[in-house]
Each structure stands twice: as structure tokens, then as C-alpha cells.
């Protein structure tokens, strides 16, 4: 996929979160473990929340920012990656976390790549703030998953 405007990037990231939610829903239906099902349910809710937050940002962001043009920002077919991702029915929490972090790191990498190719300081800082928020949420998720293992 080729991204030409900041608005396209943000819409793509928001849509990708729904693709991840759909993947987790599919995995949840196939999972054997109750704990894994709970984790997948949480991840679905989290993806919906992130999607909604990005959509809110798009609605509130100045048009001049959203209309910023980019050259040579390309990314994989993320929906296909989600559609093609599978885990065995006997998956465990680590399998789910590893898959989630892989997918999320791909999206964060895209945001970082876009930020690094942005000449406008205000937009670059906004994108890097988004990366920081994403990384913080990742750390919280990993800590929560580790605490879940202790229960």
C-alpha cells in the first residue's frame, strides 16, 4: 500500500486496528484455554479503543495537518497479514502476545517511518507522541500479561 497523505496514514492505522480485532475474534473462537480467550477478548477491546481514539483525532485534527503529503511511504497489505495469521487451538498467552507485539510493532514502525520523513516539526512531534503512547501501552500490556501468569 502506498500512503500519500497523513489522513491516509491515520485511516490506515485505524483500519488496521479493526483488522487486528477481527483476527483476535477469530482466534478466540478457536482457542482451547479460558485464559487465552480472556486475553484475546481484552485485545479486541483494546483494538477497538485505539481505533476509536485515532478516529477521534482525525475528526479533531486541523485539515492543514491531515492534508500533508508524503513521498515514498509504502507498507505491506496488513489486512492480508491478519487474515493469514493463525495459531493452533492449544495456543498459550505467550503465543498470543508474540503475535500481537509483532503486528503492533509493524504499525508503530510505519508511524515512525512517516514521522522521520516529515519536514513539518508539529506533525513530526505529533507522530512521535503517538509512537510514545503506543510503546507505553505495549509495556502495560506486557506487564499485565505477566501478572496474569502469576494468578
Amino acid at each position: 500500500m502506498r500512503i500519500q497523505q497523513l489522513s491516509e496514514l491515520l485511516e490506515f492505522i485505524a483500519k488496521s486496528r479493526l483488522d487486528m480485532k477481527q483476527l483476535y475474534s477469530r482466534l478466540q473462537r478457536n482457542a482451547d484455554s479460558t485464559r487465552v480467550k480472556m486475553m484475546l477478548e481484552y485485545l479486541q477491546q483494546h483494538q477497538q479503543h485505539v481505533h476509536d481514539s485515532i478516529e477521534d483525532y482525525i475528526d479533531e485534527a486541523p485539515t492543514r495537518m491531515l492534508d500533508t503529503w508524503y513521498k515514498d511511504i509504502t507498507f505491506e497489505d496488513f489486512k492480508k497479514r491478519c487474515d493469514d495469521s493463525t495459531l493452533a487451538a492449544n495456543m498459550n498467552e505467550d503465543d498470543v502476545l508474540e503475535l500481537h507485539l509483532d503486528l503492533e510493532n509493524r504499525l508503530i514502525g510505519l508511524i515512525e517511518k512517516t514521522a522521520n520523513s516529515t519536514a513539518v516539526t508539529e506533525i513530526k512531534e505529533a507522530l512521535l507522541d503517538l509512537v510514545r503512547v503506543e510503546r507505553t501501552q505495549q509495556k502495560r500490556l506486557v506487564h499485565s500479561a505477566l501478572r496474569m501468569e502469576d494468578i
Side-chain angles (χ1 to χ4, degrees):
M1 174 182 184
R2 187 164 183 220
I3 296 170
Q4 297 180 317
Q5 287 186 296
L6 182 59
S7 59
E8 290 177 2
L9 170 77
L10 295 174
E11 288 289 346
F12 178 79
I13 297 292
K15 168 85 174 68
S16 295
R17 293 306 186 144
L18 292 181
D19 294 336
M20 290 171 70
K21 178 184 175 185
Q22 185 176 19
L23 165 62
Y24 300 147
S25 175
R26 179 172 45 89
L27 292 175
Q28 184 183 27
R29 287 190 301 272
N30 297 327
D32 292 338
S33 165
T34 302
R35 291 168 67 103
V36 168
K37 287 182 181 202
M38 287 173 32
M39 184 177 196
L40 289 163
E41 176 65 31
Y42 170 78
L43 289 173
Q44 289 174 66
Q45 293 171 6
H46 178 70
Q47 297 315 308
Q48 185 66 52
H49 173 73
V50 173
H51 168 269
D52 295 347
S53 297
I54 293 171
E55 287 293 330
D56 290 346
Y57 179 81
I58 293 168
D59 291 343
E60 296 171 10
T63 304
R64 65 177 173 71
M65 283 181 66
L66 295 174
D67 290 345
T68 300
W69 284 85
Y70 291 94
K71 182 179 175 184
D72 298 327
I73 301 291
T74 57
F75 195 64
E76 67 180 296
D77 184 346
F78 195 79
K79 179 171 178 31
K80 180 174 177 8
R81 176 171 292 281
C82 288
D83 289 346
D84 292 347
S85 295
T86 59
L87 292 175
N90 66 347
M91 68 188 96
N92 62 35
E93 293 92 346
D94 290 340
D95 297 331
V96 172
L97 190 58
E98 183 179 326
L99 174 63
H100 172 72
L101 292 175
D102 176 60
L103 294 172
E104 197 164 61
N105 283 332
R106 291 171 187 275
L107 294 177
I108 293 170
L110 173 61
I111 298 167
E112 281 181 316
K113 176 182 175 181
T114 305
N116 291 332
S117 68
T118 300
V120 180
T121 304
E122 179 184 12
I123 296 171
K124 184 174 190 160
E125 288 175 357
L127 289 174
L128 291 175
D129 282 344
L130 179 58
V131 168
R132 278 190 287 278
V133 167
E134 293 278 357
R135 294 269 185 230
T136 300
Q137 289 178 347
Q138 260 189 349
K139 287 177 187 172
R140 287 181 183 151
L141 173 68
V142 170
H143 289 283
S144 295
L146 292 174
R147 276 183 280 177
M148 192 172 144
E149 288 178 8
D150 293 338
I151 296 175

